Every structure is written in C-alpha cells, then in structure tokens.
C-alpha cells in the first residue's frame, strides 16, 4: 500500500511562485515590481468572516463594499468588479455591442488586442505619439475605415491619453470609445478621474498593478443602466433565478479578492507617495546620462507612478538589450514593456495595419524601452545601484 500523503506538510505541494518564468521566493533579485500587501494578520479576520458566512462569491458583502469604496476613492459613479482586467475588457466590448474593426495601439500588453479577437473584432493598429507613447490622434483618424465602430486607446503606463482629441474624433466619426485604463488606477487630470473619459474604462487589479486584489479588474460605467447590463453580462446573463437574457460570461470577483481589496485601499495613497519618491530619485540620478531618456512628467496630472520606463537612445554606448542584460546580471530585472509590439505577435502580424512601416514610432520605442523597478518597498540604495550601473556602462 502506498503511504498516504501528509496534507498538513503541504510544502511539497507548493511550487515556488513564478517558477515557470522567474522566482520571487527567498530571492535577492530586484524585479520590475513587487506587490504591496497588508499584514497577513489583518486579512485573517476577513477570511474568518468568509468562512463563517460561507458566502464565497456571487456579489457578497465584501464585493458590494469594495464597489462602493472604489467609487468613492476613484471619484466615479458606477463600477463593476471583475475577476481580472482581461475579462473586464472582453465584457466591455460585449456590453457596447462592438463589431467590425476597432482602432487600437500596438504598444500595450497583449490583453488589449486579445480582448478584440475574443469578440471576433478585427484590430486596426495606429501609431503612437513619440512623447506620450499613447495613440496619436492624427493616426487614429487616418486608421478609421468603413467598418470601424470603436477606438480602444490605452493609458499607457497610466499616463493619460489625448482624451479631448479622442472624444472629438469619436463624436465626429460616430465611434464608441473604451479606454484600457488597466494601469491608470487613481490617475487624475485637470478635470478629475481619467476614468470618466470615453464610454467605458477598464481597470486591472492584477498583482503587478498599483492597487492589487491578487487578480481583479473593473469596468467604470457612466450610468446605472450600463452598470446593470455589465453586471448581468459578468454573471452569465442572469437577471433573476430563472431568467437568462443574454449569453453572458463568468467574470465575477470572489469575496476573497474583494476582502483583500478593502484592506488594500487605505494603503494605496501611501504606496503612490513612495512610488513618487522612487520616480524622483531615478530622474535625479539619471539626469545628464547621455543616451538615456526618461519620459517627461505629465503636466496637470496626478499620476500613480505605475512604471518607470527609460528609453535607451543611439547616444548610449550599449544597445537596449545590452543594458537590459547588464542590469539583469547585477540582479536588477527590468522589463521591456512593451516589446515585442502586439502587432508583431503571430496572431496579429498578418493585419495590414501591423506592418512596421505603419508603426514607425511604436517600432522604434519598443526597441529602446526598459521599465526599471518601481514599487513601494524598493529602497533608495537599490535605485542608486541601478542608476550607477546605467550611468557607467
Ligand atoms: N491591459 C493592459 C494595458 C495591461 O497592462 C494588462 C495587464 C491588461 C490589460 C490585462 O489585465 P489583467 O487581466 O492582467 O488583470 C504582467 C501582468 O500579468 C499583467 O497583469 C500586466 N498587464 C502586465 C503589464 O504585466 P507579466 O507576464 O509581465 O507578469 P510577470 O508574472 O512576469 O510579473 C512581472 C514581475 O512582477 C515579476 O518579475 C515579479 C513580479 N511579480 C509578479 C507576480 C505575478 C510578483 O512579485 N508577484 C506576483 O505575484 O505580465
């Protein structure tokens, strides 16, 4: 008879986090990000409540509380929680009945365009602006064709798009706008939350984001009817116990994730403040390093410092990959977000708009970018060490 496995000693059942790609357990390396978490002791009473109530999901009390708390924190009126940002993007496109072609950016995480393919929509890639790295409004306009129904811009690195110009194009050309605001948690422009722009905005609360619920996401809606429709869509299309009105999906956030979100929210301002200090330190230490360009701070924007991208220009003695490898060899694991361009992946490269000659700015930037580590726990000494390596290649 085989000896029974002792389930109390469960260490052998647990593979190291990220063991397929990168290891973060007992690991002295510095990664591009590291999730901020509340003390475990603070989470245990909430877990106990979940255990006692046996309400694990389907719009329980923590889910309702987190929706209300996020609306207040973000300054938006209607928000629907999701299991992750990708499901939220897919559902947002469903909710507006988007079909045909959608103009979007190649310079983003691949989920942006995947959400289109999952809806049977053809992406049309337009080039980005060299300074903001967001969609260039003139290139959006040029990409619109007879089958275009919407624009899917991304607030890249959480930095706001040219929202007024995009609204103007959408109005003149009769298009819907869904913002992929995955990285734009808490970002405000002169008029308030950036999440108010467009028909819908989609957030991600993934472990790597400024505000995380382990996995999670949300759609911000302008009115209660749209929120209700989205809430139906994320719950299989149910409206009551016996009525299903459309082919919905299971996009619901669990009580576990929502409870964590409630603990994370009071921490996020402090986390953003520390990110701001790290951002400022990088800028101070990298000023004057020939061939290294930091993105300029955005005027009149309260940003969240989600990422710290640098561009490695021709004047720098090493190639981008040369610097990336040098940092990695020293234990500083930046990431080349967003290289390769989405348009270079095999399921996209056959589209006419995916040709590099249509996307000269995005292609050039994807070849220069490194996102340096930035997160609340990162210490000044590590930032300084990274900058010394960059400054003396
Ligand atoms: N739209 C945009 C514009 C997005 O950026 C994203 C997600 C989405 C849509 C989709 O939202 P979600 O469906 O994900 O909610 C990461 C994230 O997985 C992804 O959420 C994020 N964007 C993207 C920019 O980055 P990877 O493949 O680079 O993640 P990974 O696992 O290599 O993590 C990066 C580093 O973070 C690791 O080296 C170590 C650290 N890390 C990561 C995880 C997962 C930790 O310390 N702990 C962790 O649990 O995609």
């Amino acid at each position: 008879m085989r000896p029974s496995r002792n389930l109390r000693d469960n260490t052998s059942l647990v593979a190291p986090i990220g063991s397929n790609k990168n290891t973060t357990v007992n690991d002295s390396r510095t990664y591009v990000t590291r999730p901020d978490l509340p003390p475990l002791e603070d989470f245990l009473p909430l877990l106990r409540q979940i255990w006692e109530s046996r309400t694990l999901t389907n719009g329980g009390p923590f889910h309702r509380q987190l929706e209300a708390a996020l609306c207040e924190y973000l300054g938006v009126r209607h928000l629907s929680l999701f299991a992750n940002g990708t499901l939220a993007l897919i559902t947002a496109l469903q909710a507006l009945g988007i079909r045909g072609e959608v103009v979007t950016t190649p310079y983003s995480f691949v989920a942006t365009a995947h959400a289109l393919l999952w809806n049977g929509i053809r992406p049309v890639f337009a080039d980005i602006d060299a300074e903001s790295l967001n969609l260039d409004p003139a290139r959006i306009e040029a990409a619109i064709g007879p089958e275009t129904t919407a624009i899917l811009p991304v607030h890249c690195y959480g930095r706001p798009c040219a929202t007024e110009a995009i609204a103007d194009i959408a109005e003149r050309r009769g298009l819907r706008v869904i913002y992929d605001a995955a990285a734009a948690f808490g970002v405000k422009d002169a008029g308030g939350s950036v999440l108010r722009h467009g028909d819908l905005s989609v957030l991600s609360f993934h472990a790597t984001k400024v505000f995380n619920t382990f996995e999670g996401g949300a759609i911000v809606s302008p009115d209660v009817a749209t929120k209700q429709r989205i809430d139906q869509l994320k719950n299989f299309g149910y409206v009551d116990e016996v009525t299903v009105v459309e082919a919905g999906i299971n996009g619901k956030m669990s009580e576990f994730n929502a409870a964590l979100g409630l603990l994370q929210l009071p921490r996020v301002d402090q986390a953003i403040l520390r990110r701001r200090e790290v951002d400022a330190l990088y800028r101070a230490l990298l000023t004057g390093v020939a061939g290294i360009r930091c993105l300029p701070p955005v005027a009149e924007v309260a940003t969240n410092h989600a990422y710290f991208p640098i561009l490695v220009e021709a004047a720098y003695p090493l190639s981008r990959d040369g610097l990336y490898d040098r940092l990695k060899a020293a234990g500083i694991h930046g990431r080349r977000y967003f290289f390769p361009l989405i348009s270079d992946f095999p399921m996209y490269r056959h589209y006419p708009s995916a040709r590099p000659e249509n996307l000269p700015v995005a292609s050039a930037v994807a070849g220069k970018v490194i996102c340096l580590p930035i997160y609340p726990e990162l210490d000044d000494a590590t930032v300084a060490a990274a900058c010394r390596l960059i400054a003396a290649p």
Side-chain angles (χ1 to χ4, degrees):
M1 210 173 102
R2 269 182 29 207
S4 67
R5 192 170 204 169
N6 179 0
L7 286 179
R8 276 164 193 259
D9 173 19
N10 61 2
T11 46
S12 61
L13 298 176
V14 183
I17 295 169
S19 51
N20 58 343
K21 264 198 287 192
N22 43 47
T23 305
T24 54
V25 172
N26 299 328
D27 183 346
S28 63
R29 287 173 283 191
T30 301
Y31 292 99
V32 69
T33 190
R34 186 173 165 81
D36 188 48
L37 285 176
L40 183 57
E41 308 77 72
D42 293 358
F43 196 32
L44 296 179
L46 303 190
L47 285 182
R48 190 162 296 117
Q49 284 184 51
I50 294 173
W51 255 248
E52 282 166 4
S53 72
R54 292 290 198 273
T55 301
L56 310 186
T57 185
N58 288 6
F62 289 131
H63 185 284
R64 289 195 296 275
Q65 284 174 48
L66 183 60
E67 284 197 346
L70 282 171
C71 281
E72 193 180 332
Y73 178 87
L74 295 169
V76 300
R77 292 184 61 199
H78 305 285
L79 176 146
S80 304
L81 290 172
F82 273 78
N84 59 62
T86 305
L87 276 169
L89 273 175
I90 290 170
T91 307
L93 291 157
Q94 281 281 325
L96 299 186
I98 305 297
R99 297 283 176 269
E101 290 184 350
V102 167
V103 178
T104 193
T105 173
Y107 192 75
S108 181
F109 189 60
V110 73
T112 306
H114 280 358
L116 298 173
L117 288 197
W118 273 67
N119 277 291
I121 297 164
R122 287 183 304 284
V124 178
F125 297 107
D127 207 1
I128 57 172
D129 172 78
E131 181 142 319
S132 69
L133 310 188
N134 286 322
L135 274 173
D136 177 344
R139 302 302 305 267
I140 296 176
E141 187 112 40
I144 295 169
E147 293 187 47
T148 307
T149 57
I151 308 168
L152 178 57
V154 178
H155 298 301
C156 186
Y157 306 133
R159 297 159 61 91
C161 292
T163 49
E164 276 181 27
I166 290 172
D168 175 60
I169 295 170
E171 198 181 319
R172 279 190 289 103
R173 310 294 292 262
L175 304 175
R176 311 304 292 269
V177 180
I178 298 175
Y179 277 101
D180 181 339
F185 186 90
V187 175
K188 295 190 181 86
D189 59 24
S193 169
V194 287
L195 304 172
R196 75 189 186 284
H197 296 293
D199 293 286
L200 297 172
S201 286
V202 174
L203 287 159
S204 166
F205 306 147
H206 182 260
T208 54
K209 297 297 192 231
V210 166
F211 170 82
N212 86 77
T213 56
F214 279 27
E215 290 269 8
I219 302 179
V220 173
S221 307
D223 54 69
V224 69
T226 310
K227 173 179 163 50
Q228 280 169 353
R229 172 96 202 289
I230 287 168
D231 288 346
Q232 265 168 38
L233 276 169
K234 79 172 188 190
N235 188 29
F236 313 99
Y238 269 106
V239 289
D240 62 38
E241 206 178 309
V242 290
T243 318
V244 173
V245 290
E246 55 191 329
I249 199 165
N250 181 358
K252 293 171 273 111
M253 176 182 275
S254 80
E255 285 292 277
F256 178 91
N257 303 92
L260 182 67
L262 286 168
L263 288 180
Q264 298 283 52
L265 202 48
R267 303 169 57 83
V268 75
D269 284 342
Q270 197 57 40
I272 291 173
L273 276 181
R274 176 60 194 152
R275 285 173 173 274
R276 180 179 303 165
E277 289 172 3
V278 171
D279 181 303
L281 188 56
Y282 273 130
R283 285 180 193 280
L285 297 177
L286 293 175
T287 299
V289 178
I292 297 294
R293 181 154 73 91
C294 304
L295 297 193
V298 201
E300 290 188 67
V301 167
T303 183
N304 62 10
H305 307 282
Y307 295 85
F308 194 85
I310 57 168
L311 301 181
V312 183
E313 305 283 0
Y316 193 74
L318 298 179
S319 67
R320 185 277 306 274
D321 288 348
L323 176 57
Y324 171 79
D325 289 340
R326 178 170 154 75
L327 288 167
K328 203 166 168 180
I332 312 266
H333 291 240
R335 286 297 282 265
R336 288 162 288 187
Y337 296 133
F338 290 100
F339 163 82
L341 293 178
I342 298 177
S343 46
D344 285 337
F345 289 121
M347 63 298 297
Y348 298 104
R349 63 169 78 112
H350 65 279
Y351 289 101
S353 64
R355 289 194 308 269
E357 50 279 25
N358 183 48
L359 306 166
V361 179
S363 302
V365 173
K368 296 179 187 176
V369 71
I370 303 178
C371 287
L372 298 177
I374 186 165
Y375 51 88
E377 268 182 82
L378 188 63
D379 58 18
D380 288 359
T382 307
V383 174
C387 293
R388 274 196 303 275
L389 283 165
I390 296 169

